Amino acid sequence: MTEKYLYNPVKKNTDLIQVWKAFPYTYKYGMSTLGYLTLFKELDTNSDVNVERIFINSKSTGIKPEDVEFISFSFLFENDFQQIFKILDKYKIPLKSADRKGRPLIFAGGPVITCNPEPFSDFFDFMIIGDGENSLNEIIDRYKTIRNYEKKELLEQLASIRGVYVPSLYRSTYNDDFSMKDFYSISPKIPPYINKRTAKVTECLYSSIITSDAFYADTLFIELGRGCPYKCKFCSASYLNRPFRCPSFESVKKAVDTNIDLVKTIAFIGAMVSMNPDFDKICDYLINLRKQKSFKVEFSSLKADKYNQKAVDVLLACNQYEVNIAIESGSQKIRDLIQKELTEEQLKNTISLYNKSGIKNLNFYSMIALPNETEEDITEFINLAKELKNQNKNIEISYTISSFIPKPGTPYERNSIESLDVLEKKVSFVKTAFEKEKINAKFSNPHQDIINTIISKSDRRLASFIEYVYKNNIKNKDWHKAYENFRMINNVKLPDLQWYAERTIPDNELLPWSF
């Protein structure tokens, strides 16, 4: 395989710190993940580090497992623990931190960890809460001065770094009704609360390595914004990534100019790329550049309430005809309740303009089972989908529909998810209606949505069961039965899985992730 590095190597010192930067999926997907590649670059441009990329399908390693001092995992989705454990097993590394006496130190970061690290507290020696790009070098610099410390002393030192959470240095206690009673550090030297890391985003992040063997082959990913200026109540991308930050136009232009001859596609990503204050300026620049160079452009998602002619001009100039739009719900009542600033009239006008502009494919991101949703709201969604299809004959409209999952850190963090029976009925109802109208749609798996909620809203008591799930190869549909067996075998008093996922948490109850 051929790789093109988009940064210059640095001269390395002697006695390098040996690091594996691990990704819990295949090489193909890891090489299409901007966050993973950014953090690898941070380590690779540190003159004191020898870093190697590790994937679920890595066949050999340059650094011997016994020489590795750190293994850093990118944790993107709740179910990633399965692949993370497989990697640790592959190299005969104990899963639990307490069973690892020396090196390597295992740590993780990413959206799942920043949301709620507690279900995984037994497995990682430490975790990074918030943005990772500033944390890594500070961790390495601190480690250099304490490299010969015993593990416990070393972790105590790392725990003083902003955004670094060492679970073994904290304790949780619980009431008889299973609710959390207290959370505290075991030493006065350890901060009682973890302050999330928030990186400045003035220079744009872009892919550090390009390869035709990636899922998105020969693609330059550029981050146009981190977070979102809107406050949709369900959205962790908005609430956990505050404040909304954007790179400068000059840094975006430089990233494109420097690398345009090495790639076939430029993909601009972010929760709301068109909210970058220089978005129109960036589009004008790309249109002019397209007259000289051959490349494609993709945008992760555009606003549903406003047609963006500049974005369309760029796409059409690059022979791209697809747009992604998040509408969240087809019901005006639900959109108002979740604070999605989008009216049906705005949506229809936007779609009509895309239809007339020459865009051929529209993909809508939407959800079902949002709080206060009724059968009438779902019927309204179906009717809207039929109307949009009938009014826009020249455009192919498809839907990606997931179940609402209450996420920690959002205004809906205390809400419940619907039961599996209700979710399956709602999915079946919409799917049947869409198939009748020949409307294309992909649906998330309700079993997986329930499990993701259990993990998102649980505490460190779930960690041993997560290990049990992995070691016994428990399928999604068998989680509840396996949990009953787990409680019986271990004779432990634990709340039901429904207690985690399907109840509304009282306002006065301490949350596992409150720290």
Side-chain angles (χ1 to χ4, degrees):
M1 62 188 70
T2 302
E3 296 182 339
K4 305 167 190 172
Y5 280 66
L6 306 187
Y7 61 94
N8 296 319
V10 298
K11 184 179 179 180
K12 299 288 185 175
N13 297 324
T14 57
D15 194 21
L16 296 175
I17 298 166
Q18 306 296 317
V19 179
W20 279 352
K21 185 72 189 84
F23 191 79
Y25 294 92
T26 63
Y27 173 92
K28 181 178 180 179
Y29 287 98
M31 297 304 291
S32 290
T33 306
L34 179 58
Y36 172 76
L37 292 177
T38 297
L39 297 179
F40 173 77
K41 176 186 173 184
E42 286 294 312
L43 290 166
D44 199 30
T45 52
N46 188 312
S47 57
D48 291 309
V49 173
N50 178 32
V51 60
E52 180 179 14
R53 282 168 281 143
I54 299 292
F55 304 95
I56 196 74
N57 61 336
S58 294
K59 290 183 167 49
S60 61
T61 65
I63 304 173
K64 294 179 182 179
E66 60 267 27
D67 294 333
V68 177
E69 295 173 81
F70 286 105
I71 304 179
S72 166
F73 282 98
S74 295
F75 209 137
L76 305 182
F77 305 103
E78 284 81 6
N79 208 42
D80 283 358
F81 74 87
Q82 299 271 10
Q83 291 80 254
I84 289 173
F85 290 171
K86 284 180 184 177
I87 291 175
L88 294 177
D89 263 352
K90 181 177 180 178
Y91 298 106
K92 298 180 173 54
I93 299 170
L95 302 186
K96 289 193 172 182
S97 172
D99 297 328
R100 300 190 295 265
K101 302 307 177 186
R103 309 295 187 272
L105 295 178
I106 314 295
F107 71 98
V112 170
I113 296 301
T114 296
C115 262
N116 179 16
E118 286 303 270
F120 308 104
S121 58
D122 284 1
F123 310 112
F124 297 107
D125 297 306
F126 63 94
M127 309 185 204
I128 295 176
I129 309 298
D131 297 327
E133 57 260 49
N134 297 130
S135 307
L136 287 179
N137 286 324
E138 190 172 346
I139 290 167
I140 293 297
D141 288 344
R142 181 70 59 85
Y143 179 73
K144 283 189 299 184
T145 66
I146 56 176
R147 198 172 183 179
N148 296 321
Y149 282 25
E150 292 297 317
K151 180 177 177 179
K152 185 176 183 297
E153 294 176 299
L154 196 152
L155 290 175
E156 286 177 350
Q157 289 289 319
L158 293 179
S160 64
I161 298 173
R162 183 183 180 91
V164 172
Y165 170 48
V166 180
S168 61
L169 300 180
Y170 295 82
R171 297 288 181 268
S172 295
T173 60
Y174 304 92
N175 297 306
D176 291 338
D177 65 356
F178 298 117
S179 62
M180 180 170 281
K181 182 178 182 180
D182 196 10
F183 180 92
Y184 56 92
S185 59
I186 62 174
S187 167
K189 299 177 182 178
I190 308 303
Y193 296 97
I194 306 301
N195 291 311
K196 183 182 71 173
R197 288 298 282 252
T198 302
K200 292 181 179 180
V201 182
T202 52
E203 300 294 313
C204 77
L205 292 184
Y206 60 89
S207 303
S208 55
I209 305 172
I210 300 294
T211 174
S212 56
D213 295 308
F215 184 81
Y216 294 100
D218 300 311
T219 297
L220 179 71
F221 287 93
I222 295 180
E223 183 185 49
L224 275 196
R226 191 171 305 184
C228 180
Y230 292 95
K231 298 179 181 179
C232 299
K233 290 182 178 180
F234 64 88
C235 184
S236 58
S238 173
Y239 286 90
L240 293 180
N241 286 299
R242 289 183 174 178
F244 178 55
R245 291 150 286 161
C246 295
S248 67
F249 168 74
E250 288 73 21
S251 71
V252 174
K253 181 178 181 299
K254 181 180 178 182
V256 175
D257 286 343
T258 306
N259 303 298
I260 189 64
D261 293 327
L262 302 175
V263 301
K264 295 178 181 178
T265 303
I266 304 172
F268 293 99
I269 62 174
M272 192 63 70
V273 294
S274 60
M275 290 306 294
N276 183 301
D278 292 318
F279 185 74
D280 286 357
K281 192 175 179 181
I282 292 168
C283 289
D284 285 336
Y285 159 69
L286 293 170
I287 291 168
N288 288 327
L289 184 63
R290 188 63 173 78
K291 297 172 184 176
Q292 308 162 39
K293 306 281 186 178
S294 177
F295 59 91
K296 295 179 180 179
V297 165
E298 296 179 2
F299 298 112
S300 57
S301 182
L302 296 175
K303 284 168 60 62
D305 61 329
K306 184 179 179 182
Y307 172 78
N308 194 298
Q309 185 63 55
K310 294 285 188 182
V312 170
D313 290 343
V314 171
L315 293 172
L316 296 181
C318 297
N319 299 319
Q320 295 291 96
Y321 305 100
E322 182 171 314
V323 169
N324 299 310
I325 291 176
I327 63 171
E328 319 311 352
S329 175
S331 161
Q332 188 64 56
K333 181 196 84 178
I334 297 298
R335 289 197 300 273
D336 290 343
L337 287 173
I338 65 175
Q339 295 181 182
K340 179 74 176 180
E341 297 178 9
L342 172 66
T343 67
E344 189 168 308
E345 181 182 6
Q346 287 173 324
L347 177 61
K348 288 178 179 177
N349 289 340
T350 299
I351 305 313
S352 176
L353 289 169
Y354 278 124
N355 186 23
K356 294 172 183 176
S357 71
I359 292 296
K360 296 178 180 178
N361 297 286
L362 277 176
N363 182 49
F364 293 141
Y365 298 116
S366 189
M367 287 182 285
I368 58 171
L370 281 153
N372 301 297
E373 182 182 80
T374 64
E375 186 175 331
E376 288 74 21
D377 295 311
I378 296 179
T379 300
E380 188 176 335
F381 176 32
I382 293 168
N383 290 337
L384 177 63
K386 287 159 58 176
E387 190 174 352
L388 291 175
K389 182 177 187 293
N390 293 332
Q391 289 178 353
N392 300 279
K393 297 291 187 181
N394 298 325
I395 199 165
E396 183 68 33
I397 297 176
S398 60
Y399 293 80
T400 300
I401 302 172
S402 59
S403 307
F404 160 73
I405 295 176
K407 288 289 187 177
T410 70
Y412 281 148
E413 64 184 358
R414 294 180 180 271
N415 282 64
S416 63
I417 192 173
E418 296 273 25
S419 67
L420 179 63
D421 181 58
V422 170
L423 289 179
E424 289 182 330
K425 285 179 179 177
K426 289 187 174 185
V427 167
S428 177
F429 183 61
V430 176
K431 186 180 290 186
T432 300
F434 275 28
E435 287 174 350
K436 182 180 178 181
E437 299 295 328
K438 294 183 170 55
I439 298 171
N440 295 324
K442 294 184 294 185
F443 295 83
S444 63
N445 184 324
H447 281 282
Q448 186 64 61
D449 294 334
I450 294 279
I451 289 169
N452 289 348
T453 304
I454 291 168
I455 294 173
S456 288
K457 300 189 69 177
S458 63
D459 48 60
R460 53 177 60 193
R461 289 174 294 182
L462 197 72
S464 291
F465 176 64
I466 286 175
E467 182 184 27
Y468 178 85
V469 165
Y470 167 72
K471 289 187 172 180
N472 292 277
N473 195 27
I474 305 299
K475 307 301 181 187
N476 289 346
K477 62 184 179 62
D478 298 324
W479 262 54
H480 286 79
K481 182 179 179 181
Y483 189 67
E484 295 308 313
N485 290 337
F486 172 80
R487 290 196 295 187
M488 181 178 65
I489 292 168
N490 293 280
N491 192 27
V492 290
K493 184 182 178 184
L494 293 171
D496 295 335
L497 291 182
Q498 290 94 329
W499 186 87
Y500 285 118
E502 297 175 31
R503 74 180 183 109
T504 299
I505 302 173
D507 289 341
N508 62 349
E509 184 175 318
L510 183 64
L511 296 168
W513 52 89
S514 290
F515 68 93

